[in-house]
């Protein structure tokens, strides 16, 4: 006899599908919750990665390398061209004024000098002959002037005698008149001769002076010619250290070419190249500090060269006198120092230490440690100025907040990190 079985509920038949659907819905709900909720990541964080936001003194400065250079340099130029025959020093050598740097050879200059000396000697002989002739002429003129003066006096005496004879009746008035006319004529003629002799004498003196001037000029030309020979030996114009010596044996040097540079070591300066971003903020007089082997040296910006090359420009800094600095602390040419150029005075600002978070977040956000000290969450921030040690915080953080400044390469896109 058959037994009638009770009818099973409809869901029994579809139980597997229902269970699968419930599981799928749960997974979808979980995924949606994860998507819409904060992204959490468990990482390992140590104390070195965490720093505290504080309110402190913020000093904006530029941190660059500065090179020690002589404050004064003198170019060494060749005043006469020639071939390098001998090099008497090397780059970096200490030179005294007058020390030989290079010796040049130039046969053409020597030939020209020989011709100049020969011409000078010939001209001197001619001038000496002319001077002798003028001296003889001067003697002749003085003799003629003396003779004319004697004749003038004699004619005056003869006329006085004629007057005396006329008073005595020895001569008639007609004879005295003739004697007077003859005396007046001879006197005027003699005076003209004397005046002509005087002018000839003046011309003779002027001619002698001109010849002497010509002789002096020719002697000066010869001296200049001799200097051309001396110019073939290039010497140091001052005491200092030679650099940029770019000559080689047998090389041709033209007149006016630079063959080296002498750095005067009595005082140094620093040169530094800065990014063009700072060109509007750098001005003369800004203080700077250089550090070498733990010692600090004070400088100030003395010169700004606005020419921009490779997105950089150059500044020069002069040392600030420090009476306590000893000789063994002096800087050496060519040394490189870490230089900090201050762009203002210290200001009280909210600051935080630098870290690699900036390269990952572009300074837009940072991870702030929660009160439980075992997690941190993302907080948007706004940063201002920066130096090599700190960032200036404009908004988003408060004094006392503890932030993660390093290790962001492991955080990915997480909004919350736990450790």
């Amino acid at each position: 006899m058959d037994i009638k079985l009770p009818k099973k509920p409809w869901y029994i038949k579809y139980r597997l599908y229902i269970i699968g659907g419930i599981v799928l819905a749960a997974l979808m709900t979980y995924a949606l919750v994860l998507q819409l909720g904060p992204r959490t990541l468990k990482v390992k964080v140590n104390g070195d990665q965490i720093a505290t936001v504080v309110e402190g003194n913020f000093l904006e400065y530029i941190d660059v390398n500065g090179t020690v250079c002589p404050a004064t340099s003198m170019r060494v130029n060749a005043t006469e061209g020639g071939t390098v025959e001998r090099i008497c020093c090397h780059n970096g050598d200490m030179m005294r004024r007058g020390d030989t740097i290079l010796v040049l050879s130039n046969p053409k200059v020597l030939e020209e000098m020989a011709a100049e000396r020969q011409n000078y000697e010939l001209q001197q002989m001619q001038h000496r002959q002319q001077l002798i002739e003028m001296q003889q002429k001067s003697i002749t003129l003085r003799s003629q002037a003396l003779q004319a003066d004697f004749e003038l006096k004699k004619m005056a005496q003869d006329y006085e005698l004629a007057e005396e004879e006329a008073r005595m009746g020895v001569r008639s008035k007609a004879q005295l008149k003739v004697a007077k006319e003859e005396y007046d004529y001879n006197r005027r003629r003699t005076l003209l001769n004397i005046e002509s002799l005087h002018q000839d004498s003046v011309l003779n003196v002027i001619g002698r002076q001109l010849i002497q001037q010509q002789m002096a000029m020719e002697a000066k030309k010869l001296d200049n010619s001799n200097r051309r020979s001396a110019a073939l030996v290039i010497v140091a114009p001052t005491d200092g250290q030679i650099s940029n010596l770019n000559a080689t044996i047998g090389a041709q040097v033209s007149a006016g070419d630079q063959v080296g540079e002498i750095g005067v070591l009595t005082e140094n300066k620093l040169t530094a190249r800065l990014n063009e971003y700072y060109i509007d903020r750098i001005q003369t007089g800004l203080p700077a500090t250089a550090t070498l082997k733990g010692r600090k040296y004070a400088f100030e910006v003395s010169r700004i060269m606005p020419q921009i090359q490779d997105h950089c420009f150059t500044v020069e800094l002069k040392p600030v006198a420090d009476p306590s600095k000893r000789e063994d602390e002096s800087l050496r040419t060519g040394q490189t120092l870490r230089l900090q150029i201050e762009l203002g005075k210290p200001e009280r600002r909210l600051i935080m230490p630098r870290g690699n978070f900036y390269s990952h977040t572009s300074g837009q956000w940072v991870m702030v440690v929660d009160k439980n000290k075992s997690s941190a969450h993302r907080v948007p921030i706004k940063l201002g100025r920066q130096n090599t040690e700190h960032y200036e915080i404009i908004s988003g953080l408060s004094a006392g907040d503890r932030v993660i400044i390093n290790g962001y390469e492991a955080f990915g896109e997480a909004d919350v990190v736990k450790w």
Side-chain angles (χ1 to χ4, degrees), residues 3 5 17 62 158 163 185 349:
I3 300 174
L5 297 174
Y17 297 102
I62 307 171
D158 291 342
E163 286 183 331
Y185 167 75
R349 290 289 186 268

Side-chain angles (χ1 to χ4, degrees), residues 350-361:
L350 199 63
I351 58 177
M352 64 180 292
R354 294 175 65 94
N356 70 355
F357 75 92
Y358 192 91
S359 61
H360 294 275
T361 70

